[in-house]
Amino acid sequence: MAAPIRSSCRRLSYNIKCLVGKSRFLTNAAVPNQNLFRYTSSFRFYSSKSTSSDPRAPRSKRLIAVGIGTLTTAFVGIRYGLRNTTVHNEDNHEIPNIQPSRQIRIPTDKTGMKLVLYQYQTCPFCCKLRALLDYYGLSYDVVEVNSVLRSEIKWSQYKKVPILVFQAQGNEEQIQLNDSSVVMSILYTYLLDPTKTVNVIKSFYPQVEVFDEVKNKNVNDFLNKYAIMYQEDASDGRTTEQQMEERTWRTWTDKTLVHMLSPNVYRTPSEALQAFRYFSEVGEWENVFSFPMRMFVIYTGATAMYFLGKVLKKRYNLHNDVRVSLYNECDVWVKAVGRNRKFLGGDKPNLADLSVYGVLSSIEGCDAFKDTLERTKIKPWYNRMKNAVQRHEGIGTLQAVQRQTSKSS
């Protein structure tokens, strides 16, 4: 690992200089309960207590040594922060049998499906998909992916998470499903009418290349990703207007709300470090990383994501105080739900409710989340959603829809 890091330092120097200007960045990671770094405006660089073990070393040499170390860790951290940007066009159907990190078993699940979820525990898109699985009381296995090595998904040409591997009851074929919103649409369509195979339903969501105006480049995406493919005799009793409302707000979740998270979670160095400690705790990183690697990922990841948060703030035109942007979007959602409905879906959550809840639940242990509950009116809806998901209340709704579908056919 050392050789690639050394070879990339020269290329990285220019990129980091463009990112942080002429500022120098010194870490004090070894000291607990302190900010990752402090800004001293009068000296025009980020400073901390002396990091040199030799007080006689010239200041310039110490700074150069620390600078090289910082560039190295920032490089690794930025790679960690941007790891989900890689997209590939094809699946690899040679899916290995990997020991799951944990197994979620719901006794009332009678679907017979075997589901394996490859995920990062606090990834908002993974949280969104888990919200659907938990709400509808589906049993599934979890494979926690090492966010640095990603050895658990080396078999897949698609390098994002979540990846869901689906296997129907009595069928040995394993089907790889990609993109959280597409997976949610496929699963709900299948649960609504299991007479159509998942492979057939999956064909309704072809992958295409589209132009992203924000990123100003072509990216891969999926057609119809927010649409439920109602079959001839299947229906969940919703009107066309209700279906379109659900699609609108699922799109808003992916295109707007999710981009509020990183600039807020990593708003300050201390918040960035707090976030990664939270990620380590809930993601059980002690079972994924060795202790040195876990500390390395926490501190380098927090460092890089602090700077990346600033980049994303500018990219998505957030308010100077990024909390205001998060508060505003949460208020937009509360207004959409309205005062006369428990959820956007009415008395029961729909896929838009599950999407918004899943995305917000990914930062539940961070200051940004606590501040949002205190400063906006989203708390009652969020608590209702949390209870519905944890109690698997969608089981009853699903059974009622399936009974109605059986009568119609």
Side-chain angles (χ1 to χ4, degrees), residues 86-184:
T86 304
V87 178
H88 297 270
N89 294 324
E90 300 178 356
D91 301 340
N92 185 331
H93 296 290
E94 298 178 0
I95 302 172
N97 184 19
I98 299 178
Q99 181 69 27
S101 307
R102 63 181 181 278
Q103 296 179 315
I104 310 300
R105 294 292 178 264
I106 310 299
T108 54
D109 179 16
K110 305 301 180 183
T111 62
M113 296 184 297
K114 181 179 179 181
L115 304 175
V116 181
L117 175 63
Y118 292 79
Q119 66 151 32
Y120 304 130
Q121 180 67 20
T122 52
C123 163
F125 301 104
C126 300
C127 293
K128 185 173 66 171
L129 181 51
R130 284 204 315 273
L132 177 140
L133 298 174
D134 292 338
Y135 176 69
Y136 286 111
L138 302 177
S139 299
Y140 59 97
D141 293 345
V142 174
V143 174
E144 196 68 27
V145 177
N146 184 310
S147 55
V148 175
L149 302 177
R150 292 184 292 185
S151 56
E152 294 81 3
I153 57 173
K154 283 185 177 179
W155 55 269
S156 173
Q157 294 187 39
Y158 181 91
K159 297 302 182 183
K160 287 185 177 183
V161 292
I163 295 172
L164 187 74
V165 175
F166 172 93
Q167 186 176 350
Q169 186 176 24
N171 193 329
E172 295 183 358
E173 181 184 13
Q174 293 181 309
I175 303 171
Q176 178 182 349
L177 304 177
N178 305 323
D179 187 286
S180 60
S181 292
V182 174
V183 178
M184 291 176 74

Side-chain angles (χ1 to χ4, degrees), residues 6-64:
R6 287 195 299 270
S7 66
S8 62
C9 281
R10 296 190 188 92
R11 296 194 304 271
L12 180 63
S13 297
Y14 176 77
N15 295 332
I16 297 297
K17 184 177 292 185
C18 291
L19 184 63
V20 299
K22 297 181 180 179
S23 300
R24 297 191 182 98
F25 173 67
L26 306 179
T27 62
N28 194 19
V31 183
N33 302 321
Q34 287 192 8
N35 288 349
L36 199 57
F37 55 82
R38 299 192 298 275
Y39 181 66
T40 308
S41 58
S42 59
F43 291 98
R44 292 286 297 159
F45 63 83
Y46 297 95
S47 65
S48 67
K49 295 179 181 179
S50 174
T51 56
S52 172
S53 60
D54 183 6
R56 297 170 296 177
R59 179 178 178 84
S60 59
K61 291 184 178 180
R62 295 202 305 270
L63 291 176
I64 290 172

Side-chain angles (χ1 to χ4, degrees), residues 190-248:
Y190 180 77
L191 292 171
L192 191 64
D193 181 14
T195 61
K196 295 292 188 293
T197 67
V198 165
N199 258 336
V200 170
I201 298 172
K202 180 182 177 182
S203 68
F204 301 150
Y205 304 89
Q207 190 169 8
V208 295
E209 189 176 84
V210 298
F211 183 76
D212 189 316
E213 294 182 356
V214 176
K215 296 180 180 179
N216 196 33
K217 66 177 182 179
N218 290 331
V219 298
N220 291 308
D221 207 347
F222 296 84
L223 288 180
N224 310 316
K225 67 191 297 182
Y226 302 108
I228 305 304
M229 299 301 174
Y230 292 91
Q231 306 303 320
E232 185 175 344
D233 298 320
S235 171
D236 57 1
R238 294 188 299 167
T239 65
T240 302
E241 290 74 16
Q242 290 172 325
Q243 295 171 29
M244 292 305 299
E245 182 183 43
E246 178 186 78
R247 293 186 198 180
T248 297

